[in-house]
Amino acid sequence: MTTLEEAKRLDAADELAGFRDRFVPITDPGVVAYLDGNSLGRPLRATAERLQELVADQWGARLIRSWEERWLELPERIGDELGRVALGAAPGQTIVADSTSVCLYKTLRAAAALRPGRDEIVTDSANFPTDRFLVESVAAELGHTVRWIEGGDVHPDDVAAVTGPRTAAVVLSHVDYRSAAIADLAGITRLVHDRGALTVWDLCHSVGSIPVELDANGADFAVGCTYKFLNAGPGAPAFLYVNSRHHAEFGQPITGWMGAADTFGMAEHYVPAPGIRRALSGTPPVLGMVGVQEGVALLAEAGIDRVRAKAVALGRWVLALADAWLVPLGFTVASPREDARRGGHVTLRHPDAERLSRVLIEHGVLIDFRRPDGIRVGLSPLTTGFTEVRAAVDRIRELAA
Amino acid sequence: MTTLEEAKRLDAADELAGFRDRFVPITDPGVVAYLDGNSLGRPLRATAERLQELVADQWGARLIRSWEERWLELPERIGDELGRVALGAAPGQTIVADSTSVCLYKTLRAAAALRPGRDEIVTDSANFPTDRFLVESVAAELGHTVRWIEGGDVHPDDVAAVTGPRTAAVVLSHVDYRSAAIADLAGITRLVHDRGALTVWDLCHSVGSIPVELDANGADFAVGCTYKFLNAGPGAPAFLYVNSRHHAEFGQPITGWMGAADTFGMAEHYVPAPGIRRALSGTPPVLGMVGVQEGVALLAEAGIDRVRAKAVALGRWVLALADAWLVPLGFTVASPREDARRGGHVTLRHPDAERLSRVLIEHGVLIDFRRPDGIRVGLSPLTTGFTEVRAAVDRIRELAA
């Protein structure tokens, strides 16, 4: 069950195995396994090539003309494709922009403005720091109160307990960055709507890893990053989704020229662009968008359902190896064992995780440490193989013994 | 005075002429002259090369480890160098982040928060749209009033007329995006401080073109873009300056993890990083920063004083050619004729400027049009030559006749 033969059998049966060749090879011979694609996905060969073309042919040769010829439409064009391929979002609702933090600020302010008279924002005390920090600062600036759900792995009942007629918005992560637990996006969204409030979903750890169905579930707002499972590159621009039923009314406070109805009209006052484009502020980051475009294109080719199926299989494989080799050494599994509730990584806990993580990285097992005692094993179905995972867990066993 | 021989003499005497070879050549044979570097500077060869290295060696080989090894410090490291080379800013006050719009939002909110009890924000009705739009939206969210200076080319007297004990902040552009008029940064800053208010300077059209002396003049806040005279690339990240005397108190509302004191500490509440780093929000855009780093390095090599001297000479040359060839055809000069008051471009007005701009661009004279009737001739000392400019003005004469 944990043999090398089994690993090879799984790799041989893997429909997505060939996608690994589409990535820039890891030339560092010290790397045993890259299991941190949920922090930074690996670069696609196509991204490197497209960057060269962009510099030489678009920026270098067409110069300023490239804005009208190609670049101005990219935030919406790539957003639409990302929506189609990964988010279950019809065109015109998703746009590539800024960082996740800035997108979250914009959507949270927009959500609050759509619920005047309500003065509470709900989030989870185990949510990612940026989310918690932004909920607190937006609440402070609006004179709102934060209502905390305690402890992560949020269920609809937890949300029900703290939402009511004063709730303006509920800000939650679809997949927990520590445990990988998948929240019930459908059930929670329904419940929040029943209470008259709006949802802001952080999809950082789900986009490109598990299918997200924003339209079908009537989600209001969502944000996410592109540098994890979409492999778009370090600090690549984020994305933001606003359901079309809010387009007539929604606004955001960072009213730069790119979100105005007539960007080059130099109008006297700000008139927001129709639809999702009003979510933009400054000049779109063209170089950063190359990686997003290529990452989304590769995902379209692979198909999110096949990606998800392999993520589940990789997760099971890590659990089998961990149960056999690591649990006897004092590790515990912090991620859900039920496939349907586990996202694209598996977190192992160990009392000495911080030191051990450093040792593992030094020995080429590239995982990441999350306080207080979690070792996250990131599983990127387009690049991670079963033999690679086995070698990594074997090395963990050796180094932790 | 306008002869080809004179142009060649000027090119031969140009100390910066050799820098042109450091840029990716314009391979499009249809381009007569690129005079829009004040909208989008041309790419450096080094930027293309460094992008390849970054993808292969840092992102591709070192993977996630590059964050700690190199990337996390880039916003401050490049900011410090930009401050030294172009802004007259001591280290620790300048940081590369976001877009100009987002940086302007942050600094304006920060400035307003430092002046509680004051409820007016001053700007110029001819300021760049993003600046006016953001002043209006920040004023609206804070319940402040906007006090308008009418009409561009702002003098200290104009500022004096609308500032007083209710003024929290004054938001102005150092160089006017239409006329290229240089504002008296020193005099206006002094006057604003005398009234107890704070300055937010938009340096988009001055950074990398004219020396800016932020520290010496006691400026409070400044922002600017890097894709014009710094040649950092389309949508490259912006920068933000906060004078160190405000560091103990200043804050900004987009409290993402990268601005927190301990980014990976996953703290319970947001504690701002000491100093300028608290101006950050999301994950820094690494690919976009490559162009900033290379653009600043090239400027350091050329020296801002030599760049400025050549910009002045190029401006005089455009004026001489325009007076001889274009004024007789109905053009007027909208930029200051006094060298010390004219920034890095020259704007020509013509009743038929919009149509004419399209014709010029079709014929390879890449200028830009700014409503209602301005043709901006952008002068980038590191790439623009005197013969190039002469050929362009000659073509304008021919096409406008």
Side-chain angles (χ1 to χ4, degrees):
Chain A
M1 185 63 183
T2 56
T3 60
L4 183 60
E5 288 63 41
E6 176 66 3
K8 287 183 175 168
R9 193 193 63 75
L10 288 165
D11 277 332
D14 173 12
E15 289 179 23
L16 300 180
F19 281 88
R20 194 179 175 109
D21 297 333
R22 306 286 285 276
F23 289 78
V24 173
I26 299 176
T27 52
D28 178 351
V31 175
V32 172
Y34 189 58
L35 300 172
D36 207 2
N38 57 330
S39 285
L40 178 68
R42 289 173 52 188
L44 278 69
R45 292 177 192 267
T47 298
E49 289 159 16
R50 282 282 315 282
L51 281 168
Q52 287 309 290
E53 287 169 25
L54 187 141
V55 174
D57 303 339
Q58 296 174 33
W59 180 11
R62 297 303 297 167
L63 299 149
I64 189 70
R65 297 169 292 185
S66 290
W67 275 113
E68 293 216 339
E69 291 167 359
R70 295 170 176 261
W71 297 338
L72 277 174
E73 65 174 31
L74 287 178
E76 285 156 295
R77 205 202 313 169
I78 304 173
D80 281 349
E81 185 64 359
L82 172 62
R84 183 183 76 78
V85 171
L87 304 179
Q93 302 176 107
T94 310
I95 198 158
V96 174
D98 304 308
S99 63
T100 309
S101 300
V102 172
C103 288
L104 191 57
Y105 181 76
K106 289 177 175 179
T107 49
L108 185 49
R109 286 285 307 270
L114 290 175
R115 288 296 178 270
R118 289 170 171 248
D119 64 354
E120 291 181 355
I121 303 174
V122 168
T123 195
D124 157 23
S125 68
N127 206 344
F128 190 75
T130 282
D131 302 65
R132 293 185 281 105
F133 298 160
L134 280 166
V135 165
E136 288 195 287
S137 61
V138 169
E141 69 179 288
L142 299 178
H144 284 24
T145 302
V146 182
R147 293 292 302 272
W148 296 98
I149 294 164
E150 285 307 321
D153 195 5
V154 177
H155 289 252
D157 287 350
D158 304 318
V159 180
V162 293
T163 50
R166 293 179 62 176
T167 311
V170 175
V171 180
L172 293 172
S173 290
H174 188 198
V175 170
D176 186 289
Y177 80 102
R178 279 191 286 217
S179 70
I182 302 174
D184 176 2
L185 189 146
I188 291 172
T189 299
R190 204 178 313 121
L191 185 143
V192 170
H193 287 173
D194 285 347
R195 306 274 162 111
L198 298 172
T199 51
V200 179
W201 286 102
D202 180 339
L203 308 177
C204 282
H205 281 275
S206 53
V207 62
S209 167
I210 64 178
V212 184
E213 292 295 342
L214 294 175
D215 285 355
N217 290 307
D220 302 291
F221 296 92
V223 301
C225 75
T226 63
Y227 49 72
K228 298 178 188 294
F229 297 108
L230 292 173
N231 305 293
F239 66 87
L240 181 161
Y241 162 94
V242 182
N243 192 296
S244 58
R245 71 176 176 278
H246 297 306
H247 285 193
E249 302 159 279
F250 98 97
Q252 55 89 7
I254 311 175
T255 51
W257 68 328
M258 284 289 159
D262 182 0
T263 291
F264 300 99
M266 310 290 169
E268 195 174 349
H269 299 291
Y270 179 80
V271 176
I276 192 69
R277 198 163 175 94
R278 71 178 60 173
L280 293 183
S281 299
T283 304
V286 174
L287 267 70
M289 287 193 291
V290 169
V292 187
Q293 196 162 24
E294 293 303 322
V296 170
L298 197 70
L299 180 62
E301 210 180 313
I304 187 68
D305 292 327
R306 288 203 297 174
V307 165
R308 172 60 181 159
K310 183 172 170 188
V312 166
L314 284 164
R316 276 188 206 153
W317 182 234
V318 172
L319 292 173
L321 294 162
D323 283 339
W325 298 347
L326 303 182
V327 169
L329 299 176
F331 287 84
T332 54
V333 172
S335 297
R337 288 182 171 275
E338 192 187 334
D339 292 342
R341 299 205 52 250
R342 187 181 64 246
H345 63 275
V346 172
T347 299
L348 305 170
R349 298 177 63 185
H350 187 280
D352 199 20
E354 185 161 13
R355 188 195 60 80
L356 189 55
S357 293
R358 279 197 303 273
V359 172
L360 289 171
I361 292 167
E362 279 163 24
H363 287 78
V365 178
L366 303 183
I367 45 65
D368 85 15
F369 168 68
R370 281 294 178 256
R371 284 172 203 237
D373 59 0
I375 295 175
R376 290 198 312 191
V377 178
L379 305 165
S380 299
L382 299 177
T383 55
T384 305
F386 293 88
T387 306
E388 180 186 17
V389 166
R390 185 179 182 279
V393 181
D394 192 30
R395 187 60 73 93
I396 298 175
R397 166 170 64 167
E398 180 189 313
L399 293 166
Chain B
M1 183 64 182
T2 56
T3 60
L4 183 59
E5 287 65 39
E6 177 66 4
K8 287 181 175 168
R9 193 193 63 75
L10 289 164
D11 277 332
D14 173 12
E15 290 178 24
L16 300 180
F19 280 87
R20 193 180 174 107
D21 297 333
R22 307 284 285 276
F23 289 79
V24 174
I26 297 176
T27 52
D28 178 350
V31 174
V32 173
Y34 189 58
L35 300 171
D36 207 2
N38 57 330
S39 285
L40 178 69
R42 288 173 51 187
L44 278 70
R45 292 176 192 269
T47 298
E49 288 158 15
R50 282 280 316 283
L51 280 168
Q52 286 311 288
E53 286 168 27
L54 187 141
V55 174
D57 303 340
Q58 295 174 34
W59 180 12
R62 297 302 297 166
L63 298 150
I64 190 71
R65 296 168 293 184
S66 289
W67 275 114
E68 294 216 338
E69 290 167 0
R70 296 172 175 259
W71 298 338
L72 277 174
E73 66 174 31
L74 288 178
E76 286 156 295
R77 206 204 311 168
I78 304 173
D80 281 349
E81 185 64 1
L82 173 62
R84 184 183 75 79
V85 170
L87 305 178
Q93 304 176 106
T94 310
I95 198 158
V96 174
D98 304 308
S99 62
T100 309
S101 299
V102 172
C103 288
L104 191 57
Y105 181 78
K106 289 177 176 179
T107 51
L108 185 49
R109 287 284 308 268
L114 291 175
R115 288 297 177 269
R118 289 171 172 247
D119 64 355
E120 291 182 355
I121 304 173
V122 169
T123 195
D124 157 22
S125 67
N127 206 345
F128 190 75
T130 283
D131 301 65
R132 294 187 279 106
F133 298 161
L134 280 166
V135 165
E136 288 196 288
S137 62
V138 169
E141 68 181 288
L142 299 178
H144 284 25
T145 302
V146 182
R147 294 291 302 270
W148 296 98
I149 294 164
E150 285 307 321
D153 195 6
V154 176
H155 289 251
D157 288 351
D158 303 319
V159 180
V162 294
T163 49
R166 294 179 62 177
T167 311
V170 175
V171 181
L172 292 172
S173 290
H174 187 197
V175 169
D176 185 290
Y177 80 102
R178 279 192 285 216
S179 71
I182 302 173
D184 176 2
L185 188 146
I188 291 172
T189 299
R190 204 178 313 120
L191 186 144
V192 170
H193 288 173
D194 286 348
R195 307 273 161 111
L198 299 171
T199 52
V200 180
W201 285 102
D202 180 338
L203 307 177
C204 282
H205 282 274
S206 53
V207 62
S209 167
I210 65 179
V212 184
E213 293 294 343
L214 293 175
D215 286 356
N217 291 307
D220 303 290
F221 297 92
V223 301
C225 75
T226 63
Y227 49 73
K228 299 180 187 292
F229 297 109
L230 292 174
N231 305 294
F239 66 88
L240 181 161
Y241 162 95
V242 183
N243 192 295
S244 58
R245 71 176 176 279
H246 298 305
H247 285 194
E249 302 160 279
F250 99 96
Q252 54 91 6
I254 312 176
T255 52
W257 68 328
M258 285 288 158
D262 182 359
T263 292
F264 301 100
M266 309 290 168
E268 195 176 347
H269 298 290
Y270 179 80
V271 176
I276 191 67
R277 198 165 175 93
R278 71 178 60 172
L280 293 183
S281 299
T283 304
V286 174
L287 267 70
M289 287 194 290
V290 170
V292 186
Q293 196 161 25
E294 292 303 322
V296 170
L298 197 70
L299 179 62
E301 210 180 312
I304 187 69
D305 292 327
R306 289 203 296 175
V307 166
R308 171 61 180 158
K310 183 171 170 187
V312 167
L314 284 165
R316 278 187 204 154
W317 182 234
V318 173
L319 292 173
L321 294 163
D323 284 339
W325 298 348
L326 302 182
V327 169
L329 298 176
F331 287 83
T332 54
V333 172
S335 297
R337 287 181 172 274
E338 192 187 335
D339 292 343
R341 300 207 50 250
R342 188 182 62 246
H345 64 274
V346 172
T347 299
L348 305 170
R349 297 177 63 186
H350 187 282
D352 200 21
E354 185 161 12
R355 187 195 61 80
L356 189 56
S357 293
R358 279 197 303 273
V359 172
L360 289 171
I361 292 166
E362 279 164 22
H363 288 78
V365 179
L366 303 183
I367 45 68
D368 84 14
F369 168 69
R370 279 296 178 256
R371 286 172 200 236
D373 58 1
I375 295 175
R376 290 199 311 193
V377 178
L379 304 165
S380 299
L382 298 177
T383 55
T384 305
F386 293 88
T387 306
E388 180 187 17
V389 166
R390 185 180 182 278
V393 182
D394 192 30
R395 188 59 72 93
I396 298 176
R397 166 170 65 167
E398 181 189 312
L399 293 167

